[in-house]
Short mmCIF file of all heavy atoms in Angstrom, two decimals:
data_model
loop_
_atom_site.label_atom_id
_atom_site.label_comp_id
_atom_site.label_asym_id
_atom_site.label_seq_id
_atom_site.Cartn_x
_atom_site.Cartn_y
_atom_site.Cartn_z
N GLN D 1 6.25 -34.44 254.48
CA GLN D 1 7.05 -34.56 253.28
C GLN D 1 8.36 -35.25 253.63
O GLN D 1 8.69 -35.43 254.81
CB GLN D 1 7.36 -33.18 252.68
CG GLN D 1 8.13 -32.25 253.62
CD GLN D 1 8.33 -30.88 253.02
OE1 GLN D 1 7.81 -30.58 251.95
NE2 GLN D 1 9.09 -30.03 253.70
N LEU D 2 9.11 -35.66 252.59
CA LEU D 2 10.41 -36.29 252.82
C LEU D 2 11.42 -35.22 253.21
O LEU D 2 11.46 -34.13 252.64
CB LEU D 2 10.87 -37.00 251.56
CG LEU D 2 9.98 -38.13 251.03
CD1 LEU D 2 10.57 -38.72 249.75
CD2 LEU D 2 9.80 -39.21 252.08
N MET D 3 12.28 -35.53 254.19
CA MET D 3 13.36 -34.65 254.61
C MET D 3 14.60 -34.95 253.77
O MET D 3 15.02 -36.11 253.68
CB MET D 3 13.68 -34.85 256.08
CG MET D 3 12.50 -34.60 257.02
SD MET D 3 11.97 -32.88 257.07
CE MET D 3 10.44 -32.97 256.13
N VAL D 4 15.17 -33.92 253.16
CA VAL D 4 16.36 -34.14 252.32
C VAL D 4 17.59 -34.28 253.20
O VAL D 4 17.78 -33.54 254.17
CB VAL D 4 16.53 -32.99 251.30
CG1 VAL D 4 16.76 -31.66 252.00
CG2 VAL D 4 17.64 -33.30 250.32
N GLY D 5 18.42 -35.23 252.84
CA GLY D 5 19.63 -35.53 253.60
C GLY D 5 20.88 -35.38 252.76
O GLY D 5 20.95 -34.50 251.88
N PRO D 6 21.87 -36.23 252.99
CA PRO D 6 23.17 -36.06 252.33
C PRO D 6 23.13 -36.42 250.84
O PRO D 6 22.28 -37.16 250.38
CB PRO D 6 24.08 -37.02 253.10
CG PRO D 6 23.17 -38.06 253.64
CD PRO D 6 21.89 -37.33 253.98
N LEU D 7 24.05 -35.84 250.11
CA LEU D 7 24.25 -36.18 248.71
C LEU D 7 25.01 -37.49 248.65
O LEU D 7 26.15 -37.58 249.10
CB LEU D 7 25.04 -35.07 248.01
CG LEU D 7 25.36 -35.28 246.52
CD1 LEU D 7 24.09 -35.18 245.69
CD2 LEU D 7 26.39 -34.25 246.06
N TRP D 8 24.38 -38.52 248.08
CA TRP D 8 25.06 -39.81 248.00
C TRP D 8 25.88 -39.94 246.73
O TRP D 8 26.91 -40.64 246.72
CB TRP D 8 24.07 -40.97 248.09
CG TRP D 8 23.08 -41.09 246.95
CD1 TRP D 8 21.79 -40.64 246.95
CD2 TRP D 8 23.28 -41.69 245.68
NE1 TRP D 8 21.18 -40.91 245.74
CE2 TRP D 8 22.08 -41.57 244.95
CE3 TRP D 8 24.36 -42.33 245.08
CZ2 TRP D 8 21.91 -42.04 243.64
CZ3 TRP D 8 24.21 -42.83 243.77
CH2 TRP D 8 23.02 -42.68 243.07
N ARG D 9 25.43 -39.32 245.67
CA ARG D 9 26.04 -39.57 244.35
C ARG D 9 27.39 -38.90 244.22
O ARG D 9 27.52 -37.72 244.48
CB ARG D 9 25.09 -39.10 243.24
CG ARG D 9 25.55 -39.49 241.86
CD ARG D 9 24.44 -39.31 240.85
NE ARG D 9 24.88 -39.67 239.50
CZ ARG D 9 24.07 -39.82 238.48
NH1 ARG D 9 22.76 -39.65 238.64
NH2 ARG D 9 24.53 -40.15 237.29
N GLY D 10 28.39 -39.69 243.82
CA GLY D 10 29.73 -39.17 243.65
C GLY D 10 30.25 -39.49 242.27
O GLY D 10 29.70 -39.03 241.27
N ASP D 11 31.29 -40.33 242.21
CA ASP D 11 31.93 -40.65 240.93
C ASP D 11 31.15 -41.78 240.24
O ASP D 11 31.72 -42.76 239.77
CB ASP D 11 33.39 -41.03 241.11
CG ASP D 11 33.55 -42.23 242.05
OD1 ASP D 11 32.59 -42.59 242.76
OD2 ASP D 11 34.67 -42.80 242.06
N ALA D 12 29.83 -41.61 240.14
CA ALA D 12 28.99 -42.66 239.56
C ALA D 12 29.12 -42.65 238.05
O ALA D 12 29.23 -41.61 237.43
CB ALA D 12 27.53 -42.42 239.95
N SER D 13 29.12 -43.84 237.47
CA SER D 13 29.17 -43.98 236.04
C SER D 13 27.93 -44.77 235.59
O SER D 13 27.31 -45.47 236.38
CB SER D 13 30.45 -44.70 235.61
OG SER D 13 30.51 -45.99 236.19
N GLY D 14 27.59 -44.65 234.32
CA GLY D 14 26.42 -45.35 233.82
C GLY D 14 25.17 -44.48 233.93
O GLY D 14 25.15 -43.42 234.58
N GLU D 15 24.10 -44.94 233.29
CA GLU D 15 22.88 -44.14 233.23
C GLU D 15 22.14 -44.13 234.55
O GLU D 15 21.54 -43.12 234.93
CB GLU D 15 21.98 -44.67 232.11
CG GLU D 15 22.55 -44.48 230.71
CD GLU D 15 21.57 -44.93 229.64
OE1 GLU D 15 20.44 -45.35 230.00
OE2 GLU D 15 21.93 -44.88 228.46
N LYS D 16 22.10 -45.26 235.25
CA LYS D 16 21.33 -45.36 236.47
C LYS D 16 22.17 -45.95 237.60
O LYS D 16 22.01 -47.12 237.95
CB LYS D 16 20.07 -46.21 236.25
CG LYS D 16 19.03 -45.53 235.37
CD LYS D 16 17.74 -46.35 235.34
CE LYS D 16 16.67 -45.65 234.52
NZ LYS D 16 15.39 -46.43 234.51
N PRO D 17 23.10 -45.18 238.16
CA PRO D 17 23.89 -45.70 239.28
C PRO D 17 23.02 -45.99 240.48
O PRO D 17 22.00 -45.35 240.69
CB PRO D 17 24.89 -44.56 239.57
CG PRO D 17 24.21 -43.33 239.04
CD PRO D 17 23.43 -43.77 237.83
N GLN D 18 23.42 -46.98 241.25
CA GLN D 18 22.67 -47.40 242.41
C GLN D 18 23.34 -46.94 243.69
O GLN D 18 24.58 -46.87 243.78
CB GLN D 18 22.56 -48.93 242.45
CG GLN D 18 21.70 -49.52 241.33
CD GLN D 18 20.23 -49.28 241.59
OE1 GLN D 18 19.66 -49.79 242.53
NE2 GLN D 18 19.60 -48.49 240.71
N CYS D 19 22.53 -46.58 244.68
CA CYS D 19 23.00 -46.27 246.02
C CYS D 19 22.61 -47.41 246.95
O CYS D 19 21.42 -47.74 247.05
CB CYS D 19 22.42 -44.95 246.52
SG CYS D 19 22.84 -44.56 248.22
N TYR D 20 23.58 -47.98 247.63
CA TYR D 20 23.31 -49.04 248.59
C TYR D 20 23.49 -48.50 250.00
O TYR D 20 24.52 -47.94 250.33
CB TYR D 20 24.26 -50.23 248.36
CG TYR D 20 24.13 -50.85 246.99
CD1 TYR D 20 25.09 -50.62 246.00
CD2 TYR D 20 23.04 -51.64 246.66
CE1 TYR D 20 24.97 -51.19 244.74
CE2 TYR D 20 22.91 -52.21 245.43
CZ TYR D 20 23.87 -51.97 244.45
OH TYR D 20 23.75 -52.52 243.20
N LEU D 21 22.45 -48.67 250.81
CA LEU D 21 22.44 -48.16 252.18
C LEU D 21 22.58 -49.31 253.17
O LEU D 21 22.04 -50.38 252.95
CB LEU D 21 21.14 -47.40 252.47
CG LEU D 21 20.82 -46.20 251.57
CD1 LEU D 21 19.46 -45.63 251.94
CD2 LEU D 21 21.90 -45.13 251.68
N THR D 22 23.28 -49.06 254.29
CA THR D 22 23.41 -50.01 255.37
C THR D 22 23.20 -49.27 256.69
O THR D 22 23.96 -48.36 257.02
CB THR D 22 24.82 -50.66 255.39
OG1 THR D 22 25.06 -51.30 254.15
CG2 THR D 22 24.92 -51.69 256.51
N PRO D 23 22.17 -49.63 257.47
CA PRO D 23 21.95 -48.93 258.74
C PRO D 23 22.99 -49.33 259.79
O PRO D 23 23.48 -50.46 259.82
CB PRO D 23 20.55 -49.39 259.17
CG PRO D 23 20.33 -50.70 258.46
CD PRO D 23 21.12 -50.63 257.18
N LEU D 24 23.34 -48.36 260.64
CA LEU D 24 24.26 -48.57 261.76
C LEU D 24 23.59 -48.02 263.02
O LEU D 24 23.75 -46.85 263.36
CB LEU D 24 25.60 -47.85 261.54
CG LEU D 24 26.54 -48.41 260.48
CD1 LEU D 24 27.72 -47.46 260.30
CD2 LEU D 24 27.03 -49.79 260.87
N GLY D 25 22.81 -48.83 263.71
CA GLY D 25 22.12 -48.34 264.88
C GLY D 25 20.94 -47.47 264.51
O GLY D 25 20.36 -47.60 263.43
N ALA D 26 20.59 -46.51 265.39
CA ALA D 26 19.39 -45.70 265.20
C ALA D 26 19.66 -44.39 264.46
O ALA D 26 18.73 -43.79 263.92
CB ALA D 26 18.77 -45.38 266.57
N ASP D 27 20.93 -43.94 264.40
CA ASP D 27 21.20 -42.61 263.85
C ASP D 27 22.27 -42.58 262.77
O ASP D 27 22.47 -41.54 262.16
CB ASP D 27 21.67 -41.67 264.99
CG ASP D 27 20.60 -41.45 266.03
OD1 ASP D 27 19.42 -41.39 265.66
OD2 ASP D 27 20.96 -41.37 267.22
N GLU D 28 22.96 -43.68 262.51
CA GLU D 28 24.04 -43.68 261.54
C GLU D 28 23.80 -44.71 260.45
O GLU D 28 23.12 -45.71 260.65
CB GLU D 28 25.39 -43.94 262.22
CG GLU D 28 25.80 -42.84 263.19
CD GLU D 28 27.23 -43.03 263.69
OE1 GLU D 28 27.91 -43.98 263.25
OE2 GLU D 28 27.67 -42.23 264.55
N PHE D 29 24.41 -44.46 259.29
CA PHE D 29 24.28 -45.40 258.17
C PHE D 29 25.45 -45.24 257.22
O PHE D 29 26.16 -44.21 257.23
CB PHE D 29 22.96 -45.18 257.43
CG PHE D 29 22.78 -43.83 256.78
CD1 PHE D 29 23.09 -43.64 255.43
CD2 PHE D 29 22.34 -42.74 257.51
CE1 PHE D 29 22.94 -42.40 254.84
CE2 PHE D 29 22.15 -41.49 256.92
CZ PHE D 29 22.47 -41.32 255.57
N LEU D 30 25.66 -46.26 256.41
CA LEU D 30 26.63 -46.22 255.33
C LEU D 30 25.89 -46.03 254.01
O LEU D 30 24.80 -46.57 253.83
CB LEU D 30 27.45 -47.53 255.26
CG LEU D 30 28.18 -47.96 256.54
CD1 LEU D 30 28.84 -49.33 256.32
CD2 LEU D 30 29.23 -46.92 256.95
N ALA D 31 26.49 -45.27 253.11
CA ALA D 31 25.90 -45.06 251.79
C ALA D 31 27.00 -45.12 250.74
O ALA D 31 28.03 -44.43 250.86
CB ALA D 31 25.19 -43.69 251.73
N THR D 32 26.80 -45.98 249.73
CA THR D 32 27.73 -45.99 248.60
C THR D 32 27.44 -44.79 247.70
O THR D 32 26.34 -44.23 247.73
CB THR D 32 27.59 -47.30 247.78
OG1 THR D 32 26.27 -47.36 247.21
CG2 THR D 32 27.79 -48.52 248.70
N ASN D 33 28.42 -44.41 246.89
CA ASN D 33 28.28 -43.18 246.09
C ASN D 33 28.00 -43.47 244.62
O ASN D 33 28.18 -42.61 243.77
CB ASN D 33 29.53 -42.31 246.23
CG ASN D 33 30.73 -42.88 245.50
OD1 ASN D 33 30.76 -44.05 245.15
ND2 ASN D 33 31.73 -42.05 245.29
N GLY D 34 27.54 -44.68 244.32
CA GLY D 34 27.30 -45.05 242.92
C GLY D 34 28.52 -45.52 242.20
O GLY D 34 28.44 -45.97 241.05
N GLY D 35 29.66 -45.42 242.85
CA GLY D 35 30.93 -45.85 242.26
C GLY D 35 31.67 -46.75 243.20
O GLY D 35 31.14 -47.73 243.71
N ARG D 36 32.93 -46.42 243.49
CA ARG D 36 33.80 -47.30 244.27
C ARG D 36 33.81 -46.99 245.75
O ARG D 36 34.38 -47.74 246.53
CB ARG D 36 35.22 -47.19 243.73
CG ARG D 36 35.38 -47.62 242.28
CD ARG D 36 36.79 -47.40 241.78
NE ARG D 36 37.14 -45.97 241.80
CZ ARG D 36 38.34 -45.50 241.51
NH1 ARG D 36 39.33 -46.34 241.22
NH2 ARG D 36 38.58 -44.20 241.52
N ARG D 37 33.22 -45.86 246.17
CA ARG D 37 33.37 -45.42 247.55
C ARG D 37 32.08 -45.57 248.35
O ARG D 37 30.98 -45.60 247.80
CB ARG D 37 33.79 -43.94 247.57
CG ARG D 37 35.16 -43.68 246.98
CD ARG D 37 35.51 -42.21 247.04
NE ARG D 37 36.86 -41.96 246.52
CZ ARG D 37 37.43 -40.78 246.45
NH1 ARG D 37 36.75 -39.69 246.85
NH2 ARG D 37 38.63 -40.63 245.97
N PHE D 38 32.27 -45.65 249.67
CA PHE D 38 31.15 -45.51 250.57
C PHE D 38 31.56 -44.65 251.76
O PHE D 38 32.74 -44.57 252.11
CB PHE D 38 30.60 -46.88 251.03
CG PHE D 38 31.54 -47.71 251.87
CD1 PHE D 38 31.49 -47.66 253.25
CD2 PHE D 38 32.43 -48.58 251.25
CE1 PHE D 38 32.34 -48.45 254.02
CE2 PHE D 38 33.28 -49.38 252.01
CZ PHE D 38 33.23 -49.32 253.40
N LEU D 39 30.55 -43.96 252.34
CA LEU D 39 30.79 -43.03 253.44
C LEU D 39 29.89 -43.39 254.60
O LEU D 39 28.87 -44.07 254.44
CB LEU D 39 30.51 -41.58 253.01
CG LEU D 39 31.51 -40.92 252.06
CD1 LEU D 39 31.19 -41.30 250.63
CD2 LEU D 39 31.50 -39.42 252.23
N ARG D 40 30.26 -42.91 255.78
CA ARG D 40 29.48 -43.10 256.99
C ARG D 40 28.85 -41.77 257.37
O ARG D 40 29.53 -40.74 257.46
CB ARG D 40 30.37 -43.61 258.13
CG ARG D 40 29.65 -43.92 259.43
CD ARG D 40 30.61 -44.55 260.40
NE ARG D 40 29.97 -44.91 261.67
CZ ARG D 40 30.57 -45.57 262.66
NH1 ARG D 40 31.85 -45.94 262.51
NH2 ARG D 40 29.94 -45.87 263.75
#
């Protein structure tokens, strides 16, 4: 089954906000929160 990870959705607006992912090596990644922010 899929393993659940971090909550990406934050100050998202609109009906279908998008999450954009960027890999950083083998264990880290960046994720946008559907709005103006992104986290590592």
